[in-house]
Amino acid sequence: HVELNPQSDRWTETLATIGSAFKKLYPKNDFNYTFFDDSIARFYQEEQNTSRLLNWAMGLSILTSCLGLLGLVMYTSETRTKEIGIRKILGASVSNLVVILSSELVRLVVIAFAIAVPLCWYAADRWLEDFAYRTEVNWWVFGLSGLILIVVALITISTQTIKTAVSNPVNSLRSE
């Protein structure tokens, strides 16, 4: 019985001893060996590659969706510039204007989330069926992702809506 420490240099001499004993018993066969942890790592290599690809795709899709949401906010605030100017002249505060501009877009984000959750749950559930030891998809994962989605959407929306709400209303009404 030989105990091997992964940090020691005894690996090569132990494997050479095992190889010579193997050659004595089976002189016509080659001595090939693999470590158990390497075998397990090969089993999960495809899953790790898929995970890496999905992480890149997720990051790219989040960036694309934030840019799309920012474009939608910019378009909405541009088309409602006169309305914002009139509301400011009539006494609306910046926070009221931000709520007015953001509420419609947040509602769209919530609707998109409500459509995406069942599709994501179904896809994750089908993917996990292929594993021998599988886990259930928990509801809190979707709740946490929804909370993060709302926070990211509010940050994206707030940048432009605050800028629009703070602008001078005279500039927006001057052309009329």
Side-chain angles (χ1 to χ4, degrees), residues 35-46 48:
F35 292 104
F36 190 62
D37 57 343
D38 293 337
S39 300
I40 291 173
R42 275 195 301 277
F43 288 138
Y44 290 105
Q45 186 65 37
E46 182 180 338
Q48 290 171 346

Side-chain angles (χ1 to χ4, degrees), residues 71-89 92 95-108 157 160-161 163-173 175-176:
L72 184 61
V73 169
M74 291 173 73
Y75 174 74
T76 303
S77 63
E78 184 68 32
T79 58
R80 297 177 73 178
T81 304
K82 290 188 186 348
E83 175 192 349
I84 294 167
I86 291 170
R87 287 183 186 268
K88 278 187 80 170
I89 288 173
S95 60
N96 288 344
L97 292 173
V98 169
V99 168
I100 290 169
L101 291 173
S102 301
S103 62
E104 293 176 18
L105 297 170
V106 169
R107 189 176 12 227
L108 290 175
I157 291 168
Q160 185 64 30
T161 55
K163 180 179 159 187
T164 304
V166 171
S167 67
N168 190 355
V170 173
N171 294 336
S172 64
L173 297 173
S175 63
E176 285 295 317

Side-chain angles (χ1 to χ4, degrees), residues 40-171:
I40 291 173
R42 275 195 301 277
F43 288 138
Y44 290 105
Q45 186 65 37
E46 182 180 338
E47 301 307 323
Q48 290 171 346
N49 291 340
T50 303
S51 173
R52 241 178 303 194
L53 179 65
L54 288 175
N55 284 336
W56 276 100
M58 177 188 59
L60 187 60
S61 66
I62 289 172
L63 177 67
T64 304
S65 63
C66 285
L67 288 175
L69 187 60
L70 182 63
L72 184 61
V73 169
M74 291 173 73
Y75 174 74
T76 303
S77 63
E78 184 68 32
T79 58
R80 297 177 73 178
T81 304
K82 290 188 186 348
E83 175 192 349
I84 294 167
I86 291 170
R87 287 183 186 268
K88 278 187 80 170
I89 288 173
L90 294 175
S93 67
V94 172
S95 60
N96 288 344
L97 292 173
V98 169
V99 168
I100 290 169
L101 291 173
S102 301
S103 62
E104 293 176 18
L105 297 170
V106 169
R107 189 176 12 227
L108 290 175
V109 169
V110 169
I111 290 170
F113 179 74
I115 292 170
V117 164
L119 297 173
C120 291
W121 176 82
Y122 179 75
D125 193 54
R126 299 296 283 180
W127 179 62
L128 289 172
E129 282 181 354
D130 293 338
F131 293 98
Y133 299 104
R134 78 177 275 219
T135 184
E136 295 297 320
V137 181
N138 294 321
W139 66 269
W140 62 266
V141 173
F142 294 107
L144 180 64
S145 64
L147 182 66
I148 292 170
L149 172 71
I150 294 295
V151 168
V152 169
L154 284 175
I155 290 170
T156 305
I157 291 168
S158 297
T159 57
Q160 185 64 30
T161 55
I162 291 172
K163 180 179 159 187
T164 304
V166 171
S167 67
N168 190 355
V170 173
N171 294 336

